[in-house]
Amino acid sequence: MFLSVFEMFKVGIGPSSSHTMGPMVAAARFLDMMRAAPFQFAGVRASLHGSLAFTGVGHATDRATILGLAGFLPDTYDHARAEDVLSSLATDHTLHPDALPPLRFDPKTDLVFDYDTQLTGHTNGMILMATDAQGDVILRQVYYSIGGGFVMTEEELADGKATDEGPPVPFPFKTASEMLGMAKASGKSIAAMKRANEESRGGAAQLKSGTARLWQVMNDCIDRGLTTDGTLPGGLNVKRRAKGIHDKLQAERGMNLTAPHTVNDWMAVYAMAVNEENAAGGQVVTAPTNGAAGVLPATLRYYLDHVPGASTAHIQDFLLTAAAIGGLVKYNASISGAEAGCQAEVGSAAAMAAAGLCAVMGGTTAQIENAAEIALEHHLGMTCDPVKGLVQVPCIERNGLGAIKAVSAASLALRGDGTHLVPLDACIETMRQTGADMSEKYKETSLGGLAVNVPNC
């Protein structure tokens, strides 16, 4: 099994990898499908289903779909140009994607939130359609946004493309047990095996530059969040808190009376900074999703800024180890909140971050696997119930607590010798089963939990 570090970590925009980035990518893929078709197109339409419908407005799914149909992509997103396109669309009801004729599109009639029709492949479903001059549909495709910005057509999903292994790699582990066995047989660390796999596909230079960019985007996101205040969009009037907390922490530095547990506030504020940026629609890295984007960067920043002897030379090992664990979770369970609740998002992120931290602090392969298991185990059953469908409450604080759990899990694992009762594979399977049993109202629909018990209007 091979899932690249650049698939696990994608540069994109907030507030959601599955509800913002995924629909934008799907729309861009549909434009390519149109360009390859022998038809004369005059317009486009879209319908959103399942979780994409129920929480689509709060996650900016409508905006992302429109911009995707206009030719935008998450990793090259230009906010100013997007605003110009949306402003023009409001008056002329026409999209102008490259290499296609002008396309009629009225957001009020051509973008439908279908709350009644559940598509069969995944709860995050959407249908994109192209029409001729008479308004008849002449091209149609169903897409599923399966979490973390990954997008599949209904045919790809049915054919098992979501678990397609592709060409062989040196260390094709599909489970944690296989990963431990290959590490023992080869004498290599998890990061070294993952590096060999990556280099067999893209080469060492691409891996070096790509992972450097990932951390640069993550770190820049933290810094922006720590220096920006104001109120987040969406109507909940949630105030940004990261800057204020960070300013207080900076003022307390060097004081003799600071409590030891203050270090928890540093971990939390790094994560909250990222997720406030995400909630504002800023540039983030899926880690493994936007909703959980703060946990891993916060843990790595904690290591670099607060752990004696930390080195930037270990950043790649951190990311590779984390990506290896994330790949196991995605392959054997899910990283989608709409599919398995927040245990699949913040839980997966905490497991990945714990593994990465344990690795760069000298942990053995067994200790790294243990760290990931501890972090995931203590997120089992966590629901996804965003208030008003926004990735703000409880999501922002939840990332802060996820980072704290990740660091605690790594520390506990390093205190042991790697032996433990619950294998990571068993924990991942438990998460999958729990997600399957979980009521749909607790899986990113905002139909239960905090979303209905907290007044938000």
Side-chain angles (χ1 to χ4, degrees):
M1 188 272 291
F2 177 77
L3 188 66
S4 174
V5 64
F6 303 116
E7 293 176 287
M8 211 69 230
F9 303 122
K10 302 184 187 75
V11 176
I13 56 168
S16 172
S17 48
S18 59
H19 288 58
T20 313
M21 289 174 60
M24 187 179 287
V25 169
R29 288 188 61 182
F30 189 65
L31 292 182
D32 287 338
M33 188 177 177
M34 292 172 65
R35 294 181 183 111
F39 307 121
Q40 290 295 317
F41 300 107
V44 285
R45 299 175 189 162
S47 62
L48 306 173
H49 302 261
S51 180
L52 292 186
F54 285 113
T55 60
V57 173
H59 288 72
T61 306
D62 46 354
R63 175 189 172 98
T65 302
I66 293 167
L67 291 174
L69 290 171
F72 285 77
L73 284 168
D75 60 342
T76 56
Y77 178 76
D78 183 326
H79 180 76
R81 189 167 73 86
E83 292 302 315
D84 289 342
V85 167
L86 292 172
S87 177
S88 297
L89 180 65
T91 56
D92 64 18
H93 297 157
T94 305
L95 296 172
H96 301 272
D98 291 341
L100 284 168
L103 301 170
R104 290 194 305 267
F105 184 86
D106 183 347
K108 293 181 180 178
T109 57
D110 294 323
L111 180 61
V112 176
F113 288 81
D114 189 335
Y115 303 103
D116 300 319
T117 307
Q118 178 75 43
L119 303 181
T120 58
H122 191 281
T123 186
N124 290 335
M126 62 190 301
I127 303 174
L128 298 178
M129 296 157 280
T131 60
D132 61 14
Q134 288 73 45
D136 295 326
V137 175
I138 55 176
L139 189 67
R140 177 184 183 275
Q141 182 63 62
V142 176
Y143 292 95
Y144 293 107
S145 180
I146 62 174
F150 291 87
V151 171
M152 295 283 167
T153 65
E154 61 178 343
E155 294 83 7
E156 289 169 343
L157 203 62
D159 290 342
K161 294 293 185 182
T163 55
D164 187 15
E165 296 177 28
V169 293
F171 300 97
F173 49 85
K174 298 179 182 179
T175 66
S177 177
E178 290 180 355
M179 179 182 73
L180 291 171
M182 290 181 190
K184 184 176 181 180
S186 67
K188 293 181 178 293
S189 66
I190 295 171
M193 292 191 296
K194 183 68 174 168
R195 183 177 294 107
N197 288 346
E198 294 285 345
E199 291 180 354
S200 74
R201 294 286 182 91
Q206 178 181 313
L207 179 62
K208 181 178 180 180
S209 63
T211 50
R213 182 184 181 230
L214 287 174
W215 173 240
Q216 186 67 57
V217 174
M218 288 179 181
N219 201 38
D220 287 348
C221 186
I222 293 174
D223 288 340
R224 287 196 309 275
L226 294 178
T227 56
T228 306
D229 54 18
T231 302
L232 295 172
L236 283 181
N237 295 317
V238 173
K239 293 183 178 180
R240 286 180 179 248
R241 297 161 60 197
K243 181 181 184 300
I245 294 171
H246 185 249
D247 289 347
K248 290 179 181 178
L249 288 169
Q250 290 276 52
E252 292 171 4
R253 270 190 157 167
M255 294 176 62
N256 293 329
L257 298 179
T258 301
H261 65 249
T262 299
V263 72
N264 288 334
D265 298 341
W266 283 100
M267 297 178 221
V269 79
Y270 294 147
M272 291 170 66
V274 171
N275 285 86
E276 287 177 355
E277 280 294 292
N278 178 63
Q283 187 181 58
V284 299
V285 175
T286 63
T289 65
N290 282 35
V295 176
L296 188 142
T299 306
L300 182 47
R301 179 72 171 257
Y302 160 78
Y303 163 73
L304 292 171
D305 286 3
H306 299 270
V307 175
S311 170
T312 55
H314 295 151
I315 291 173
Q316 189 182 94
D317 279 0
F318 188 109
L319 295 176
L320 289 172
T321 304
I325 299 301
L328 294 178
V329 176
K330 185 180 187 305
Y331 185 83
N332 294 294
S334 176
I335 58 170
S336 167
E339 190 172 30
C342 200
Q343 58 173 355
E345 295 204 30
V346 170
S348 298
M352 294 164 65
L357 180 61
C358 188
V360 299
M361 293 188 68
T364 65
T365 304
Q367 288 173 320
I368 293 167
E369 186 260 359
N370 188 14
E373 187 279 326
I374 293 171
L376 181 59
E377 179 181 332
H378 298 290
H379 284 88
L380 290 177
M382 182 173 280
T383 59
C384 182
D385 51 352
V387 176
K388 204 177 179 181
L390 299 169
V391 193
Q392 298 179 16
V393 179
C395 320
I396 294 170
E397 280 184 358
R398 185 168 286 175
N399 274 256
L401 273 292
I404 292 169
K405 283 187 181 182
V407 174
S408 296
S411 183
L412 282 174
L414 287 165
R415 294 290 183 183
D417 61 5
T419 58
H420 54 109
L421 184 63
V422 180
L424 177 58
D425 288 329
C427 193
I428 292 173
E429 173 58 16
T430 302
M431 191 263 274
R432 186 196 67 78
Q433 293 175 7
T434 304
D437 292 340
M438 190 181 288
S439 170
E440 291 300 315
K441 67 183 181 181
Y442 298 122
K443 294 194 284 190
E444 210 168 356
T445 59
S446 290
L447 297 175
L450 289 175
V452 300
N453 288 306
V454 175
N456 57 77
C457 59

